[in-house]
Amino acid sequence: MNSMQDIDERTSLTGNNKFELFLFKLGTSDHSTSRELFGINVFKVREIMEMPAITAVAGSHPHMLGVVNIRGQIVPVIDLPLAVGCKSNGLKILMVTEFARSTQAFAVEEVDEIVRLEWNQVLSAESSVGGGLVTSIARLDGDTDKTRLAQVLDVEQILRNVLPSGDPDVDKTSIGPQVRLPAGAVILAADDSSLARSLIEKGLEAMGVPFIMTKTGKEAWERLQAISAQAATEGKTAKDKVALVLTDLEMPEMDGFTLTRNIKNDGRFATIPVVIHSSLTGSTNEDHVKGVGADGYVAKFVAAELAETIRKVLAR
């Protein structure tokens, strides 16, 4: 799963608004006896292993099983069924993940398969289901009435719930000088996670910049076109109205790679700088970001680094 050939192949999927979803089961819920499917982007999964011996940690969160030693690295282990309200018949598999600058493991009942999907098979579900822990619903067999459904978990939110940071969300003393935009211009931001949107909003407010927040790449793209049309009636350009686009990579309907390409391939928007802000870190993703024409890349979530990146890109 981690061979360079697999990574290269999976990275190439982003050129066509596609990705791979790792499916697993957590048990049953209070609402159903069915063992529903859940999913996480393959790029966040480092390895899968049978459940090893876990050392309990005194005073830890109820959803934390303890820690495990993986080749000399001490990794926290989260009881994922418990964290999302499922009842498991046994935690047999450990899913080790890397995202948002950290390594952690999730105990699950059973792994299912890896499926290759187009992002338009994934619909935003955050506002209606999951209590903020589900960002979207993936239609695994396409747009049919009988398609299997998988819940795409907001693992960043789950991690924050179980292992909260003691640091403030935004340290205003580290932000530096206010970011200056041209008069009448805003930053257009897109992220499907409510946690990420909250952190981005706090960061941009601390920077002193006006912004428009959207939930998907598709919504951001439609908003950008509407802004362009309005600007034209005023004898202005889209760039007069949007100083910069800040986008996540993983989003239902349209991902950040596709949004970036759409912007850079459209004469109305090509000069608008795009910064990708993602929990998917590593040189493979960063190289691909450059390939789609993004002007900057910053890993989630350190507000000072986001501010520094935005300043650098705007100064070009």
Side-chain angles (χ1 to χ4, degrees), residues 64-87:
M64 183 174 166
L65 291 173
V67 296
V68 64
N69 179 31
I70 302 178
R71 293 184 296 279
Q73 181 181 16
I74 303 301
V75 178
V77 179
I78 295 169
D79 184 331
L80 195 53
L82 194 59
V84 302
C86 287
K87 298 176 182 177

Side-chain angles (χ1 to χ4, degrees), residues 10 20 39 110 142 150 163 172 179 227 234 240 270 296 299 310 312:
R10 285 177 176 131
E20 288 188 328
E110 177 187 339
L163 299 170
K172 294 184 179 180
V179 175
I227 290 171
E234 302 171 15
D240 293 327
I310 288 174
K312 285 182 178 178

Side-chain angles (χ1 to χ4, degrees), residues 118-286:
E118 296 186 8
W119 276 108
N120 59 20
Q121 291 176 245
V122 184
L123 301 180
S124 179
E126 173 195 89
S127 61
S128 58
V129 300
L133 300 183
V134 176
T135 61
S136 50
I137 301 292
R139 300 172 294 178
L140 303 180
D141 307 305
D143 187 12
T144 67
D145 291 339
K146 295 182 180 180
T147 183
R148 295 170 298 154
L149 300 177
Q151 301 171 61
V152 182
L153 291 174
D154 188 344
V155 285
E156 287 92 341
Q157 180 68 66
I158 293 169
L159 181 63
R160 187 180 180 87
N161 290 350
V162 179
L163 299 170
S165 170
D167 298 325
D169 289 341
V170 176
D171 180 3
K172 294 184 179 180
T173 62
S174 69
I175 290 290
Q178 298 282 277
V179 175
R180 301 296 180 187
L181 302 184
V186 301
I187 286 179
L188 177 63
D191 202 297
D192 67 321
S193 164
S194 60
L195 169 64
R197 287 198 303 276
S198 173
L199 294 174
I200 291 167
E201 288 172 358
K202 290 176 182 178
L204 293 178
E205 286 168 358
M207 297 172 210
V209 298
F211 60 87
I212 296 171
M213 183 63 68
T214 61
K215 295 183 179 181
T216 70
K218 183 172 181 283
E219 183 185 350
W221 176 239
E222 291 172 349
R223 191 67 175 268
L224 188 58
Q225 293 180 88
I227 290 171
S228 177
Q230 177 60 37
T233 67
E234 302 171 15
K236 296 182 179 181
T237 67
K239 191 173 183 181
D240 293 327
K241 298 285 189 177
V242 178
L244 180 142
V245 173
L246 178 67
T247 179
D248 186 23
L249 287 181
E250 304 172 275
M251 293 181 290
E253 301 182 285
M254 180 189 292
D255 69 359
F257 289 122
T258 303
L259 174 61
T260 301
R261 271 196 312 275
N262 285 352
I263 291 170
K264 294 303 182 180
N265 292 337
D266 192 311
R268 296 171 296 172
F269 313 124
T271 59
I272 297 175
V274 177
V275 171
I276 288 178
H277 185 224
S278 175
S279 61
L280 293 177
T281 54
S283 59
T284 301
N285 285 301
E286 292 183 26

Side-chain angles (χ1 to χ4, degrees), residues 67-121:
V67 296
V68 64
N69 179 31
I70 302 178
R71 293 184 296 279
Q73 181 181 16
I74 303 301
V75 178
V77 179
I78 295 169
D79 184 331
L80 195 53
L82 194 59
V84 302
C86 287
K87 298 176 182 177
S88 173
N89 291 321
L91 299 173
K92 303 179 182 69
I93 302 295
L94 198 65
M95 183 169 64
V96 184
T97 63
E98 289 183 334
F99 59 84
R101 306 168 185 256
S102 63
T103 301
Q104 52 285 313
F106 294 98
V108 303
E109 187 176 275
E110 177 187 339
V111 296
D112 196 85
E113 63 177 318
I114 294 173
V115 293
R116 185 167 295 183
L117 303 172
E118 296 186 8
W119 276 108
N120 59 20
Q121 291 176 245

